[in-house]
Amino acid sequence: ADFPSSRSGGMGKVGQRKGASLLSYPAQGLHHSRSFAPEGDIYINLEAVRKCVCIRIVNTFLDGGQTAYTIWVSDLESGREWYAPVRYFQDFLDLRDVTNCEATADLPFPFKRWGVLPSIGSRDVSSPWKSKDPRCNQLEQFLRGLSAMVYRGPLHPKIAEVAFHLQSFLGCDACYEAEENLALHHQVAVSEASYWRKEFLEGHNEAQTETRLHLKQALQRYVYRIFLLPVLEQLTSRFIEEVQKQAPSIEEMKTLEKKGRTSLKDAALQNLEKLQGFLDQLQDLLLEGCEEDMRSISDHSDFSTLKNFMTPGADNSYRATLYMEAIREQVEIEAYVPLRSVMSRQLVNGWRHDDMEMQFKMQELQKRPQSYFKINPKHQSPTDWCSVSKILREGVGHSTLPCVKLRAIVDAAKEISRLYIEEHSQSQSQHESSGNHDKKPGTHDGREVLGADDFLPIFIFCIVRAEIERPSALCVLLQTLCHPSKRNGETGYFLASFEAAIEHI
């Protein structure tokens, strides 16, 4: 059910909080499905419980004298991410009341008036000056603790009920028809690319593509559970707190800018490189330590349709790519997302003048036809490369994780080739039948394909039409956070093309 403070539009402008009212969880009703095994063990139906939900409070702001919280959510089972309806402290109190049971008693929760309230049954009292925002940190730990109950805490009869309350709080309803079904409330702000990556999996049929997606999600859910281990959770939390404490304030950034634009850029790059080193080391550590488990998961009979890709005689890079993709995505969820606002603030301010110039130029260039970009007339698209611009706009511009943005750049580049072949197949057949092979950059299955000199003007045109915000700062982010193993391959090549396009503009 909707909380009293829920507003349509999720992250949009909100007004004063309405009067408190009784809450009903969840909107579709609770399905109590408990039975007892012959031994007396409790059986709880977790069919509609989202089992891998990543939660971060990414922003706070004042609304009518109250602190409002912006909550970012990623559901690994469905692969979707969204922003929960704007919540206030009273909403958290309501959630705590309805989820209060023995299994949640030890979860930390901030006191309304004084810094931090110690965990129930714990003697550890955190001082408010130990963190920039102790209440926000404690609220985030409370939500993440509720989400991880299914793995961490002892089995409790109310575990499913608690999960349903949390899901409703985050803006999603329980779905009983299928596990991957996820019904989002109308108040949430969905942040995801709507294009589907199936078509970009070369050499896979439909069943193999679907299986690969399920395997990648299974591997990522495994990595999610690894991050619940205290040693990894503490390691990541300490790093996040250190970076947040050392991040320059707005006044400090103004002081750096007075020394010259390069001073502000150098400071931003230094902090970004520190994050890059942590992400890369964490990824390499998990790949080395968990490879055996991940191999065991991928060898399961559920993924047998991919055996031709993963047999000992097959290309070993297939497994490695899949493992690294799953690990990197979860590593960025755990370590990049909580620092995203910190890093973005530095990058946006450091490259502000570059992006102001870019915005002006791109607004003018959006009015220009393909011929203005010197795209060969015989290579021009009758659809103005709309599908490519859509991938760039949604996959690069609207997605959260840098690794997803990088994949979207590769997908967009491949879509150029695919769309060109599709739209020009008939004219190419006529061209080849006439015996005229002038300026033929290459062939694919007997069909003409674009060469590098023909590709770049098209890519520039698509980037302009995609209306990506702050492309200069984005280039710095992606170039810095791209894993070294990706820089020399396909991802590195198309990232270099993306940077060349931005530089050309």
Side-chain angles (χ1 to χ4, degrees):
D2 302 336
F3 275 67
S5 61
S6 298
R7 297 287 189 272
S8 179
M11 293 183 66
K13 186 177 180 181
V14 294
Q16 296 289 338
R17 189 179 189 276
K18 296 180 180 179
S21 61
L22 293 178
L23 304 177
S24 174
Y25 295 91
Q28 297 179 357
L30 290 175
H31 292 241
H32 298 279
S33 179
R34 304 175 194 161
S35 61
F36 292 85
E39 297 81 5
D41 294 333
I42 298 175
Y43 169 77
I44 302 171
N45 185 0
L46 300 179
E47 179 185 0
V49 172
R50 312 308 299 180
K51 300 171 187 66
C52 292
V53 180
C54 304
I55 307 167
R56 290 289 183 183
I57 298 177
V58 294
N59 188 36
T60 60
F61 60 93
L62 287 177
D63 173 39
Q66 296 187 86
T67 301
Y69 298 87
T70 303
I71 305 169
W72 179 86
V73 187
S74 176
D75 178 64
L76 302 187
E77 291 177 276
S78 64
R80 303 180 71 182
E81 65 177 66
W82 68 92
Y83 291 92
V86 174
R87 300 303 186 196
Y88 301 83
F89 187 73
Q90 184 59 47
D91 296 326
F92 285 90
L93 289 174
D94 293 339
L95 178 64
R96 187 185 184 221
D97 288 343
V98 296
T99 59
N100 188 27
C101 64
E102 294 153 358
T104 62
D106 289 332
L107 294 179
F109 196 87
F111 191 53
K112 186 171 184 180
R113 191 170 298 172
W114 307 95
V116 177
L117 179 72
S119 305
I120 299 175
S122 171
R123 297 181 180 179
D124 179 31
V125 181
S126 302
S127 301
W129 56 82
K130 288 185 179 179
S131 175
K132 288 186 176 180
D133 192 348
R135 176 188 286 187
C136 184
N137 289 340
Q138 290 281 299
L139 290 175
E140 182 179 89
Q141 290 175 29
F142 173 67
L143 294 179
R144 289 168 64 85
L146 290 178
S147 176
M149 270 184 59
V150 68
Y151 298 116
R152 277 182 166 170
L155 188 61
H156 190 276
K158 284 191 173 183
I159 193 170
E161 185 176 335
V162 168
F164 292 154
H165 292 325
L166 175 64
Q167 288 168 199
S168 182
F169 180 89
L170 298 175
C172 61
D173 283 327
C175 295
Y176 292 85
E177 292 81 8
E179 183 180 355
E180 64 271 16
N181 268 350
L182 185 68
L184 298 180
H185 294 182
H186 68 278
Q187 294 94 346
V188 307
V190 179
S191 173
E192 63 178 347
S194 61
Y195 77 93
W196 190 236
R197 297 187 70 244
K198 278 187 176 183
E199 57 193 281
F200 304 114
L201 294 179
E202 299 175 358
H204 293 64
N205 58 33
E206 185 175 355
Q208 291 169 337
T209 299
E210 192 72 26
T211 301
R212 189 187 187 280
L213 174 64
H214 289 312
L215 174 55
K216 185 252 179 184
Q217 291 175 340
L219 294 171
Q220 191 172 345
R221 292 198 296 268
Y222 165 79
V223 181
Y224 163 84
R225 292 167 63 186
I226 294 296
F227 271 100
L228 295 180
L229 295 174
V231 61
L232 267 183
E233 186 179 51
Q234 292 169 12
L235 175 68
T236 306
S237 298
R238 282 199 299 266
F239 175 79
I240 292 170
E241 289 175 6
E242 179 186 352
V243 173
Q244 288 174 335
K245 289 177 181 178
Q246 295 178 354
S249 64
I250 297 296
E251 293 301 321
E252 290 171 336
M253 284 190 284
K254 289 180 180 179
T255 302
L256 284 171
E257 191 173 18
K258 290 178 182 178
K259 298 178 181 179
R261 294 185 190 178
T262 55
S263 299
L264 189 55
K265 289 182 177 180
D266 290 343
L269 277 174
Q270 184 178 0
N271 290 328
L272 193 60
E273 287 170 356
K274 183 185 297 184
L275 173 60
Q276 175 243 335
F278 183 79
L279 295 176
D280 291 350
Q281 291 179 31
L282 202 52
Q283 175 181 331
D284 295 340
L285 173 68
L286 289 169
L287 182 61
E288 180 181 355
C290 303
E291 186 173 7
E292 186 176 342
D293 285 348
M294 300 185 91
R295 179 178 291 273
S296 177
I297 293 172
S298 58
D299 287 340
H300 194 275
S301 58
D302 286 351
F303 312 113
S304 59
T305 56
L306 299 176
K307 63 181 179 182
N308 291 336
F309 298 96
M310 297 190 291
T311 53
D315 185 4
N316 291 329
S317 64
Y318 187 89
R319 282 182 185 268
T321 300
L322 197 55
Y323 297 168
M324 285 191 292
E325 188 176 315
I327 292 174
R328 184 66 180 202
E329 201 160 314
Q330 195 59 33
V331 164
E332 290 186 1
I333 286 175
E334 300 293 344
Y336 168 76
V337 171
L339 295 173
R340 182 187 179 199
S341 60
V342 172
M343 295 299 168
S344 295
R345 184 168 62 245
Q346 297 178 63
L347 289 171
V348 167
N349 282 277
W351 277 263
R352 182 174 70 256
H353 299 287
D354 304 71
D355 280 325
M356 287 173 62
E357 181 183 352
M358 281 290 296
Q359 182 181 12
F360 172 77
K361 289 183 176 180
M362 291 178 82
Q363 285 177 347
E364 291 300 313
L365 288 172
Q366 285 165 13
K367 308 171 186 176
R368 308 293 183 178
Q370 296 181 60
S371 57
Y372 181 83
F373 294 81
K374 299 182 180 179
I375 298 175
N376 191 316
K378 71 174 186 177
H379 296 154
Q380 293 178 15
S381 167
T383 61
D384 279 340
W385 309 98
C386 286
S387 60
V388 182
S389 299
K390 183 175 186 287
I391 293 171
L392 290 170
R393 180 168 51 255
E394 297 179 353
V396 179
H398 296 169
S399 59
T400 300
L401 304 181
C403 64
V404 175
K405 295 178 184 289
L406 287 169
R407 286 204 302 270
I409 290 176
V410 175
D411 291 344
K414 290 183 176 181
E415 175 66 4
I416 290 177
S417 299
R418 188 203 66 79
L419 187 62
Y420 173 76
I421 292 174
E422 178 184 289
E423 293 182 341
H424 296 77
S425 57
Q426 184 176 358
S427 61
Q428 286 176 8
S429 298
Q430 296 173 353
H431 181 76
E432 292 174 4
S433 63
S434 67
N436 186 353
H437 300 283
D438 293 341
K439 292 184 68 177
K440 186 176 182 181
T443 60
H444 174 73
D445 295 335
R447 294 170 295 185
E448 184 180 356
V449 295
L450 294 169
D453 293 340
D454 299 310
F455 168 81
L456 191 57
I458 298 173
F459 204 34
I460 294 171
F461 174 82
C462 295
I463 290 172
V464 168
R465 290 296 180 97
E467 302 179 272
I468 298 173
E469 295 184 357
R470 303 182 184 90
S472 299
L474 177 63
C475 273
V476 177
L477 174 74
L478 297 183
Q479 178 60 40
T480 307
L481 296 189
C482 181
H483 191 271
S485 64
K486 294 283 188 181
R487 291 175 187 166
N488 296 325
E490 183 180 59
T491 301
Y493 175 80
F494 289 122
L495 175 58
S497 300
F498 184 81
E499 292 175 323
I502 299 298
E503 183 64 27
H504 179 80
I505 296 171

